[in-house]
Amino acid sequence: MNIALETPLHTLLAELVADLKRHAPYAAALLTSSTGTHMTLDRREQSLHTPDPSQGVVFTVFTGEHFEEYATSDLAPEHLARAVRDWANSLALSPDQPAHPEMIASNSPSLQQFQTPCQLPLTSLSLPEKLERVRAVQQQALNFHPRVRNVNLSYSDQLETKLFISPSRHMRQELARTSLFLDIIVADGPIMQHSWLSKTGTGGLEITEISEQELAHACETALRLLSAEKIEPGLYDVVTDPSVSGTIAHESFGHGVELDLFPKGRARAADYLNQRVAAPDVQLYDDPTIPGAFASYFFDDEGQLAAPTHILQDGVFVAPLSDLMSATFTRRLRTSNGRREDYTRKSYARMTNTFFGAGASTPEELIADLEHGIYLRQASSGMEDPLGWGVQVTAHYGEEIINGKPTGRLFAPVGITGYVPDLLQSISGIGNDLALDGGWCGKGQKEWLPVSSGGPHLRLKARLG
């Protein structure tokens, strides 16, 4: 299913928005459609799922005092026009109430169209061909070593089209997202371990291509972890790989700086705006414009053109992430972070691609500076407390470093806990590399959306256990 432009439906939506705008300070519509594929398989079974294509529209108005929305999947022109006008008539609108400047997109009356570039379009292979492709990767991993007991594989792709209409802006974007997750399980008698390999991004089937070297590294890591120990709890000098760095970024200055939490008194970060919260060289960004990143887009679900937000500048918290409503009622700058799970769900201020900026040191230099420390690899989970500003991140494993050299001694898993400013102010080295990992993030255990997190290698002090 695709959203065509300059069709009777497009014309009708524009007419309905214009009619709403005559009675309200602000009005807009977002029409979305989505198709996709999902498959999972292990050594014993497989599951293929192609959800029914979905399409629907949500209208938004500002009454002069608050926001109201109407969503429907009934796009029959006569039904839609009647339903929207009946809904508008039920509202107490104040057309003379001025809208906040942050509510109104800059004038761009011409139609703007955007599309994710794909080397191998999602439609270039049939479902059986996609299945055969991932089976081949699974079999290659199963054949790597006799101790490989199982390989769980999950593949998904999604083609999502969005048409945003306001009195000043008509925009259409077609987003292609692809992901492949490979979990390799090994055993030595009763001892079991695992490691994984993940490929995610906006783009076509080329995103999920896995090299022999990448697969071998994942398998070898799982086998090495069969001898992993438990770490002695305590404060350590550590170096974090980009996945662990990114999870720290996501948990410490992700949810905690989403502006809709500020008026509710649910974010400690609100008290630290324009204050130093990290070491002087630390930069932190949220950027939906990064080509190929899993959470990238061209405009958000409220018609704000995508742009980067510099959250931490030289260690100072300078900008929260906002949606239309939070920017309006707090009178703060609007960022391009208004996102919906789908057209039936409310828009919230949400992260996109959140990451620490790169520095000047090589990863090897950061590790060489460790006299006695731990190199933390492969983030597996994270939790945050936006109000108390505590953070907990779990690395799948850590490797002991003595006098700048790995000893071969592994610990798994390794948890990081701490108070966000203490953790970030302890950063003493920033790598010159940068990598992002994609995944899914909820807000309040719901509202699931694609995100990415990452950064360079970091050297810091952390309490491990």
Side-chain angles (χ1 to χ4, degrees), residues 103-146:
M103 192 180 301
I104 303 173
S106 59
N107 288 329
S108 181
S110 61
L111 181 64
Q112 296 174 280
Q113 300 187 61
F114 309 95
Q115 185 174 21
T116 300
C118 297
Q119 297 176 24
L120 295 173
L122 302 183
T123 55
S124 63
L125 293 181
S126 66
L127 184 59
E129 289 172 328
K130 291 176 183 178
L131 176 59
E132 187 58 35
R133 197 167 185 250
V134 297
R135 272 180 177 163
V137 175
Q138 182 194 40
Q139 193 59 51
Q140 188 177 358
L142 286 169
N143 293 340
F144 183 82
H145 193 278

Side-chain angles (χ1 to χ4, degrees), residues 21-72:
K21 182 64 177 67
R22 282 192 287 270
H23 302 283
Y26 172 83
L30 179 72
L31 177 65
T32 68
S33 73
S34 177
T35 61
T37 300
H38 182 69
M39 61 180 72
T40 59
L41 56 156
D42 59 22
R43 200 164 194 167
R44 290 174 289 275
E45 61 184 11
Q46 64 186 35
S47 171
L48 306 180
H49 181 49
T50 52
D52 292 335
S54 66
Q55 187 172 32
V57 62
V58 55
F59 290 85
T60 302
V61 297
F62 182 59
T63 68
E65 296 182 352
H66 59 273
F67 288 89
E68 294 275 357
E69 293 191 332
Y70 174 77
T72 181

Side-chain angles (χ1 to χ4, degrees), residues 28 65 73 75 98 121 129 161 164-165 172 186 210 227 238 260 268 286 292 302 341 360 362 387 403 421 424:
E65 296 182 352
S73 60
L75 302 180
E129 289 172 328
T161 308
F164 178 83
I165 298 174
R172 177 186 181 273
V186 299
I210 296 176
S227 61
V238 303
D260 56 345
R268 186 76 172 272
D286 185 271
E302 298 175 314
E341 181 176 325
T362 67
L387 185 56
N403 295 324
L424 299 189

Side-chain angles (χ1 to χ4, degrees), residues 229-253:
E229 309 169 41
K230 294 295 184 183
I231 195 166
E232 182 72 23
L235 188 65
Y236 289 82
D237 292 315
V238 303
V239 169
T240 58
D241 78 357
S243 73
V244 179
S245 302
T247 305
I248 293 172
H250 178 100
E251 302 298 349
S252 62
F253 272 87

Side-chain angles (χ1 to χ4, degrees), residues 196-456:
W196 62 84
L197 181 59
S198 177
K199 293 281 192 172
T200 61
T202 51
L205 298 172
E206 70 279 359
I207 295 288
T208 59
E209 292 176 349
I210 296 176
S211 69
E212 291 185 5
Q213 292 80 5
E214 290 172 318
L215 189 60
H217 176 73
C219 293
E220 288 165 357
T221 298
L223 293 167
R224 289 181 65 207
L225 288 173
L226 288 169
S227 61
E229 309 169 41
K230 294 295 184 183
I231 195 166
E232 182 72 23
L235 188 65
Y236 289 82
D237 292 315
V238 303
V239 169
T240 58
D241 78 357
S243 73
V244 179
S245 302
T247 305
I248 293 172
H250 178 100
E251 302 298 349
S252 62
F253 272 87
H255 288 301
V257 297
E258 291 170 342
L259 186 58
D260 56 345
L261 298 181
F262 287 21
K264 302 172 185 177
R266 292 173 55 193
R268 186 76 172 272
D271 299 327
Y272 286 81
L273 194 60
N274 298 318
Q275 295 186 40
R276 182 173 303 285
V277 294
D281 293 333
V282 173
Q283 318 294 331
L284 186 69
Y285 304 90
D286 185 271
D287 188 358
T289 70
I290 298 175
F294 195 50
S296 293
Y297 46 76
F298 301 97
F299 57 86
D300 72 6
D301 292 335
E302 298 175 314
Q304 186 80 348
L305 285 169
T309 301
H310 201 161
I311 300 173
L312 298 186
Q313 184 173 6
D314 300 326
V316 176
F317 173 35
V318 294
L321 306 177
S322 66
D323 62 338
L324 176 58
M325 185 172 71
S326 64
T328 298
F329 291 124
T330 63
R331 301 286 171 172
R332 293 191 183 276
L333 179 68
R334 181 179 170 191
T335 65
S336 51
N337 294 87
R339 305 181 67 193
R340 304 174 185 272
E341 181 176 325
D342 58 48
Y343 70 93
T344 68
R345 305 298 188 99
K346 181 183 178 300
S347 179
Y348 292 93
R350 301 297 302 274
M351 287 174 280
T352 63
N353 307 305
T354 311
F355 58 95
F356 288 107
S361 301
T362 67
E364 294 76 17
E365 288 170 340
L366 297 179
I367 294 171
D369 283 343
L370 288 181
E371 182 177 342
H372 185 193
I374 306 295
Y375 181 23
L376 297 176
R377 312 287 298 274
Q378 215 168 3
S380 60
S381 66
M383 295 175 59
E384 44 74 43
D385 174 12
L387 185 56
W389 230 357
V391 65
Q392 178 178 312
V393 173
T394 302
H396 187 44
Y397 69 100
E399 185 163 9
E400 184 181 53
I401 305 294
I402 294 181
N403 295 324
K405 303 291 185 182
T407 66
R409 192 180 180 193
L410 301 183
F411 306 97
V414 182
I416 307 168
T417 58
Y419 180 58
V420 167
D422 290 345
L423 192 64
L424 299 189
Q425 287 172 3
S426 78
I427 295 173
S428 58
I430 302 173
N432 61 4
D433 57 330
L434 180 63
L436 294 172
D437 286 329
W440 294 83
C441 176
K443 186 157 182 163
Q445 303 302 314
K446 58 178 183 175
E447 310 298 339
W448 294 95
L449 287 170
V451 296
S452 288
S453 60

